Amino acid sequence: TLLPAELRRSRTKQHCGSTHRMIMLDELFWQAHARVVCVQESRIQSDGYHLGCHYRMYRSSADETGNYGVQIWIAHALAGLVTAVIAHSPRLLEVVMQVGPFLHSLFLR
């Protein structure tokens, strides 16, 4: 039998397609009203992005030994402002956002 919290997690996992840890962090950041979250040492072995329940998570890959890697989690409401994502290295990720007529580059290192 699933307790209410476990049922909520199982539904969330089913709908978000994320790991349990990502689901917990997604919910924690959302409850803290964070709209942009930067993560160092993510150690994920690929560039790209992942869709969570509340965030689009952009990432630069860890190096070949599994070190480094950074992520920037942007709330879905703001993710439409992203015009480019450039993974310069395992330690440097650039996200370009258009706000009105202006382009802003966010660098995560």
Side-chain angles (χ1 to χ4, degrees), residues 11-67:
R11 283 186 187 153
T12 304
K13 187 171 185 176
Q14 179 183 5
H15 294 295
C16 297
S18 300
T19 65
H20 180 69
R21 179 175 179 219
M22 289 175 79
I23 293 167
M24 286 178 24
L25 289 172
D26 184 289
E27 191 61 36
L28 179 71
F29 295 149
W30 188 252
Q31 287 178 7
H33 304 286
R35 297 304 176 249
V36 177
V37 178
C38 300
V39 179
Q40 292 181 307
E41 295 292 332
S42 64
R43 300 175 190 243
I44 295 175
Q45 288 282 346
S46 66
D47 292 339
Y49 73 92
H50 179 81
L51 293 175
C53 291
H54 301 103
Y55 299 93
R56 181 171 283 199
M57 305 153 197
Y58 299 98
R59 64 182 178 265
S60 69
S61 178
D63 68 12
E64 59 279 347
T65 61
N67 294 311

